[in-house]
């Protein structure tokens, strides 16, 4: 039984949501349950499809929400939905009109999107009736504190570690052989950065100014490659900027770990999707 404390608007479709608040006593499962009703003779019937993911994946699974707002300063959403674990969402029972869209992770679980929480915003309003057949894409990032861009210093080549030798022959034996990674881009796009990591530690960052680039002075190990679309040309990746209303810069991940062996050169073809 639900009791409304406020008067409902006439000729309006409402959707009630229980975000995991109702659980089956036997099965123990919960979900985002919804009930839609109207105070008029018809239900609003527009549907919005969307997909969402984080530019830098989190170690723990996070629930992503999508809010539709009537103004760009509204704190409470007119409509809200939850993406499934695969990052897909279909929001039904919507009324045609102009909305501002925001995808976010409600880290403090207050039902709102805080300025410090991971998010992506369509800063320009959309007319729902015109895009209802399209699938919108959201890529979340956590805004930088005070909107300052974090600068990543140019990494220095790793120096081989060697113990103090007793003779020249021992010295040569203790030097670790270094390797190289050659990236061959099918298309040269502007403002790209090639970044290679071991775990979460950045090893080198290089500007992609030609279709074939070589990254030298690499120790043996398993590497991750990501390509940053450095749209503002400041030589680092920038998250969403809420002050200047700029979405986060795109990141492309090479789908496999790259194994670098000692004294070896690895060549990789790289394709940047449209």
């Amino acid at each position: 039984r639900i009791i409304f404390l406020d008067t409902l608007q006439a000729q309006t479709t409402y959707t009630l949501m229980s975000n995991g608040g109702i659980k089956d006593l036997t099965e123990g499962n919960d979900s985002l349950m919804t009930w839609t009703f109207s105070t008029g003779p018809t239900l609003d019937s527009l549907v919005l499809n969307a997909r969402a993911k984080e530019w830098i994946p989190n170690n723990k699974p996070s629930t992503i929400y999508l809010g539709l707002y009537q103004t760009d300063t509204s704190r409470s959403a007119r409509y809200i939905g939850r993406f499934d674990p695969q990052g897909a969402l279909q929001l039904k029972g919507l009324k045609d009109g102009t909305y501002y869209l925001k995808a976010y992770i409600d880290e403090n679980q207050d039902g709102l999107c805080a300025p410090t929480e991971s998010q992506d915003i369509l800063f320009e309003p959309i007319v729902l009736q015109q895009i209802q057949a399209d699938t919108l894409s959201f890529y979340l990032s956590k805004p930088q504190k005070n909107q300052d861009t974090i600068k990543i210093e140019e990494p220095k080549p790793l120096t081989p570690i060697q113990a103090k030798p007793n003779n020249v022959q021992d010295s040569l034996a203790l030097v670790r052989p270094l390797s190289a990674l050659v990236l061959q881009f099918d298309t040269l796009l502007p403002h790209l950065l090639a970044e290679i990591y071991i775990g979460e530690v950045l090893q080198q960052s290089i500007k992609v100014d030609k279709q074939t680039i070589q990254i030298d002075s690499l120790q043996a190990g398993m590497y991750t490659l990501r390509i940053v679309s450095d749209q503002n040309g400041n030589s680092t990746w920038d998250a969403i900027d809420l002050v200047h209303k700029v979405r986060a810069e795109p990141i492309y991940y090479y789908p496999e770990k790259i194994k670098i062996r000692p004294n070896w050169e690895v060549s990789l073809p790289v394709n940047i999707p449209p």
Side-chain angles (χ1 to χ4, degrees):
R1 178 174 296 177
I2 299 172
I3 300 174
F4 295 99
L5 301 181
D6 298 314
T7 302
L8 300 180
Q9 297 181 22
Q11 310 296 321
T12 301
T13 297
Y14 287 89
T15 298
L16 305 180
M17 294 185 298
S18 172
N19 188 7
I22 297 177
K23 183 176 293 186
D24 188 291
L25 290 176
T26 304
E27 300 295 334
N29 58 316
D30 61 354
S31 62
L32 180 65
M33 304 180 69
T34 62
W35 299 268
T36 300
F37 66 94
S38 176
T39 55
T42 60
L43 289 170
D44 293 329
S45 58
L46 293 185
V47 177
L48 185 144
N49 295 292
R51 299 195 62 85
K53 68 177 183 178
E54 297 180 83
W55 275 130
I56 299 179
N58 221 326
N59 293 329
K60 59 181 181 179
S62 301
T63 300
I64 302 177
Y65 296 90
L66 178 66
L68 276 65
Y69 301 81
Q70 293 182 316
T71 70
D72 60 349
T73 57
S74 300
R75 295 193 68 224
S76 299
R78 175 66 179 87
Y79 299 101
I80 190 170
R82 185 173 73 175
F83 291 88
D84 65 22
Q86 288 71 45
L89 170 135
Q90 186 176 77
L91 201 54
K92 300 180 180 180
L94 308 180
K95 181 180 179 60
D96 59 348
T98 301
Y99 298 94
Y100 291 83
L101 273 61
K102 181 186 303 184
Y104 61 95
I105 297 175
D106 189 10
E107 298 171 2
N108 59 8
Q109 298 183 345
D110 64 350
L112 304 174
C113 178
T116 57
E117 293 175 331
S118 185
Q119 57 191 282
D120 187 22
I121 302 174
L122 300 185
F123 291 107
E124 296 296 327
I126 60 107
V127 179
L128 186 60
Q129 188 176 18
Q130 296 178 353
I131 60 115
Q132 64 188 74
D134 298 334
T135 298
L136 301 179
S137 295
F138 295 88
Y139 300 93
L140 284 72
S141 62
K142 188 178 288 291
Q144 304 291 356
K145 293 181 179 179
N146 299 323
Q147 302 306 318
D148 293 332
T149 300
I150 295 178
K151 299 290 185 180
I152 301 178
E153 296 183 358
E154 289 289 336
K156 299 179 180 179
L158 299 177
T159 303
I161 300 175
Q162 51 182 330
K164 187 174 182 181
N166 294 324
N167 52 55
V168 175
Q169 186 174 4
D170 290 342
S171 176
L172 294 175
L174 290 169
V175 175
R176 296 179 180 177
L178 300 178
S179 302
L181 176 64
V182 178
L183 304 179
Q184 300 170 332
F185 291 82
D186 62 342
T187 304
L188 185 59
L189 300 178
H191 307 301
L192 292 183
L193 296 176
E195 298 181 343
I196 56 172
Y197 290 76
I198 293 182
E200 297 182 357
V201 180
L202 176 64
Q203 303 298 309
Q204 290 195 42
S205 176
I206 295 180
K207 291 183 179 180
V208 181
D209 53 6
K210 50 191 174 187
Q211 286 189 246
T212 300
I213 63 171
Q214 181 166 315
I215 304 175
D216 296 309
S217 304
L218 297 178
Q219 301 282 6
M222 298 296 293
Y223 288 81
T224 299
L225 169 66
R226 77 180 198 182
I227 307 296
V228 174
S229 179
D230 183 24
Q231 297 175 344
N232 60 6
N234 67 347
S235 300
T236 187
W237 174 74
D238 290 294
I240 187 171
D241 186 340
L242 300 179
V243 172
H244 299 97
K245 297 184 177 182
V246 179
R247 299 175 76 185
E249 294 176 330
I251 302 176
Y252 306 94
Y253 288 88
Y254 194 77
E256 301 173 357
K257 295 287 187 180
I258 303 168
K259 184 177 182 180
I260 301 293
R261 293 184 289 178
N263 195 26
W264 201 258
E265 182 179 287
V266 177
S267 295
L268 288 179
V270 179
N271 168 260
I272 302 297

